[in-house]
Amino acid sequence: MIFKNRFLSILGSVVLSMLFASCGDDIQKYRIIYSAEEPIGQISKQIKDILDQEDEFSTELIIGHGSIANVDSLLKGSADLAIIENHTPVDGEIKSILSLYPQILHILYQSEEEITDFKQLVENKSIFIGPEGSGTHRFMNDLFVFFEVDISKVQIVDDPFDCEIYCAFGDLIKEDNLLGLEDFRLYSFGDVERQGRGSIAEAICLKFPQLKPFIIPKYTYRQLTPEPVLTIAVDAVLVARKDLPEESIYELTKILFHNHQEFTEISPLSYLDLTENFDFNKLNFPLHEGARKYIEKDNPGFFERYAELIGVVFSLLFAGVSGIISFTKWRKQVKKDRIDVFYKRIIDIKNGISKLKSPSEVRGKILELRLEQDKAFELLIDEKLTADVSFRIYMELHKEILNSLLLRNKFLNKEEVTKGVA
């Protein structure tokens, strides 16, 4: 009996050890390589934090040296995941997982007058276009060719703080980083009103289809944007090696989509791309089969299920398409004009904060600011405004101004107490 119990105990230990060993083998270890630029660095760390909370994933962060070098690391097998620009040169061994957010091209230049000609902007100037191998560096060289710039007349420098022109793809410029840019202007690729009607930005994107025109709304960057700016954007995409398991990438994609709000706290621009409805046909790298299975949920597509009905509806609506498009454009323009008015009002409040002399004046401005927000929400509910990037930037600006008013109120209250004691 003792021998039998001992045998069963040993057998149970062996079985349990085999089970635990098997579970350990199921953990997928991913090495995430990223560039130090923000918000890519923050997003990479957030991806690590999200995946490390799951039992089936273990991650390691590796600092890379630009999109080209990071892709090489994937191809060599020294990394598994990376965040790169959607216009990075294609290789069949790399697959996309999801689009994270649009990176906006900012071209800052020093000039007393507005420059509208690109060749005039860059020739005989010192210009910073990012480190070699970065997305900005590659694209700016493409632009030099596109605009037939004499490259011998362009002085490319390595120091971003010692240049006449600064170029970079990135997130929205933070408020703190606007300090010191008072002498700069933001270059626009033509008149915003031309967008959708043959603008130069559209011509660039026709040449480079992975890119897209992007309008930075009026007042977004205070003095840098007295008027809307037409520029270029490229999506930052999470990519992986082709040979990573489909099941693992399926789970990874599901987890990241289910935690998408974690990324919107890093950059409001992730509201635009990080959805399950993103157009993966525009990705420069083919979608990984694991990500595709999650996005499509292995169900027949909409057009497959309703092909006949769509044909009938399309026939009925075809005659009215032109009128609907015209009406939609008109409504969009009206909404854009309305949000510009709200920008102007709260910017006026912000510029007057330092002139407020008493807590009662501050409270009055706080009330005025909140009333402006209420009006904006009423228009949003009535569908007279759109909850697009312009509105989200407006809300961020509103929150910043409210915090400034509260700090001013605290300072003035303290000053009154001090005077009372004296």
Side-chain angles (χ1 to χ4, degrees):
M1 186 70 177
I2 295 174
F3 173 78
K4 182 178 179 181
N5 288 339
R6 183 175 298 173
F7 173 76
L8 290 175
S9 176
I10 294 171
L11 180 61
S13 299
V14 171
V15 171
L16 285 175
S17 64
M18 290 175 66
L19 284 173
F20 281 118
S22 174
C23 291
D25 291 341
D26 288 340
I27 295 177
Q28 183 67 54
K29 298 180 180 180
Y30 282 138
R31 294 157 298 174
I32 307 171
I33 190 167
Y34 70 99
S35 301
E37 296 87 354
E38 302 299 354
I40 288 180
Q42 292 173 287
I43 290 176
S44 300
K45 293 169 186 175
Q46 191 64 54
I47 290 174
K48 173 178 171 58
D49 291 342
I50 291 171
L51 295 181
D52 283 349
Q53 293 176 24
E54 305 294 327
D55 294 335
E56 65 266 39
F57 291 105
S58 173
T59 59
E60 174 190 355
L61 288 179
I62 305 170
I63 297 180
H65 302 284
S67 293
I68 297 293
N70 293 348
V71 167
D72 287 342
S73 295
L74 294 181
L75 295 175
K76 293 174 183 176
S78 56
D80 306 299
L81 304 173
I83 299 175
I84 62 175
E85 296 88 357
N86 193 40
H87 69 293
T88 305
V90 176
D91 189 290
E93 298 302 311
I94 305 298
K95 299 292 183 180
S96 298
I97 298 178
L98 54 87
S99 181
L100 293 169
Y101 74 99
Q103 293 184 304
I104 306 169
L105 177 62
H106 295 87
I107 301 180
L108 296 161
Y109 65 96
Q110 289 180 307
S111 175
E112 295 181 359
E113 298 180 356
E114 182 181 8
I115 299 176
T116 58
D117 181 83
F118 187 81
K119 289 182 70 173
Q120 179 188 352
L121 174 75
V122 299
E123 288 187 351
N124 301 312
K125 302 289 193 334
S126 59
I127 176 171
F128 175 79
I129 59 174
E132 191 170 352
S134 67
T136 304
H137 193 282
R138 292 196 317 277
F139 179 65
M140 290 305 298
N141 277 288
D142 289 337
L143 277 188
F144 295 154
V145 175
F146 181 86
F147 285 103
E148 299 180 343
V149 173
D150 184 350
I151 194 65
S152 67
K153 295 182 179 180
V154 179
Q155 181 189 355
I156 297 175
V157 298
D158 297 326
D159 187 353
F161 300 103
D162 185 20
C163 60
E164 296 170 276
I165 303 172
Y166 174 89
C167 309
F169 276 109
D171 196 16
L172 292 169
I173 302 175
K174 305 296 184 185
E175 181 69 21
D176 293 345
N177 294 335
L178 292 175
L179 298 175
L181 298 179
E182 292 78 8
D183 296 331
F184 282 82
R185 291 175 177 266
L186 199 56
Y187 183 74
S188 181
F189 289 94
D191 190 349
V192 171
E193 301 300 327
R194 293 288 304 169
Q195 175 57 25
R197 296 187 292 119
S199 67
I200 188 66
E202 289 172 289
I204 295 170
C205 296
L206 191 62
K207 177 72 173 178
F208 307 102
Q210 299 86 5
L211 306 173
K212 54 190 175 183
F214 191 95
I215 296 175
I216 302 175
K218 187 176 182 179
Y219 300 126
T220 301
Y221 299 142
R222 298 186 310 200
Q223 81 283 352
L224 284 177
T225 49
E227 298 296 334
V229 171
L230 179 58
T231 185
I232 306 295
V234 61
D235 289 336
V237 180
L238 178 65
V239 298
R241 298 202 327 267
K242 176 183 177 180
D243 59 350
L244 295 183
E246 287 183 16
E247 297 79 7
S248 180
I249 295 297
Y250 179 97
E251 289 300 320
L252 181 149
T253 306
K254 180 175 72 173
I255 291 167
L256 294 182
F257 273 126
H258 286 188
N259 290 274
H260 72 275
Q261 69 276 3
E262 302 289 341
F263 301 103
T264 59
E265 294 177 4
I266 296 174
S267 170
L269 293 177
S270 60
Y271 277 104
L272 302 181
D273 280 358
L274 193 50
T275 71
E276 295 180 23
N277 298 319
F278 77 97
D279 186 359
F280 53 79
N281 292 312
K282 294 185 178 179
L283 293 172
N284 199 29
F285 298 86
L287 199 64
H288 193 286
E289 195 58 32
R292 183 186 298 278
K293 285 185 176 180
Y294 172 75
I295 293 168
E296 295 182 346
K297 306 294 193 300
D298 288 331
N299 291 326
F302 178 85
F303 290 101
E304 292 175 293
R305 286 179 284 143
Y306 300 107
E308 293 183 8
L309 179 60
I310 289 173
V312 174
V313 173
F314 184 81
S315 298
L316 293 174
L317 295 179
F318 183 80
V321 167
S322 179
I324 292 172
I325 292 174
S326 299
F327 178 71
T328 302
K329 286 184 177 180
W330 174 78
R331 286 196 67 189
K332 186 176 180 181
Q333 184 61 44
V334 169
K335 291 178 182 180
K336 177 185 173 300
D337 293 341
R338 288 195 184 112
I339 196 65
D340 283 350
V341 172
F342 280 97
Y343 272 118
K344 180 65 170 63
R345 288 174 182 168
I346 66 172
I347 288 294
D348 288 343
I349 294 175
K350 180 178 181 179
N351 292 337
I353 291 176
S354 60
K355 300 176 184 177
L356 299 176
K357 302 300 182 183
S358 68
S360 62
E361 289 182 0
V362 175
R363 289 193 293 272
K365 289 298 179 182
I366 291 175
L367 177 60
E368 183 180 343
L369 188 67
R370 286 174 172 163
L371 289 174
E372 285 297 315
Q373 186 185 54
D374 291 342
K375 291 177 185 176
F377 277 119
E378 288 174 4
L379 291 177
L380 189 66
I381 293 170
D382 293 338
E383 297 185 352
K384 294 180 179 179
L385 283 178
T386 304
D388 56 7
V389 65
S390 298
F391 189 83
R392 286 190 287 274
I393 293 172
Y394 168 78
M395 293 305 299
E396 289 293 325
L397 187 59
H398 181 280
K399 183 167 63 176
E400 175 196 331
I401 296 171
L402 179 60
N403 289 336
S404 298
L405 284 167
L406 292 173
L407 287 173
R408 182 66 177 173
N409 186 57
K410 184 177 181 181
F411 170 77
L412 292 173
N413 278 323
K414 185 176 181 180
E415 193 176 58
E416 285 189 357
V417 170
T418 303
K419 289 180 179 178
V421 171

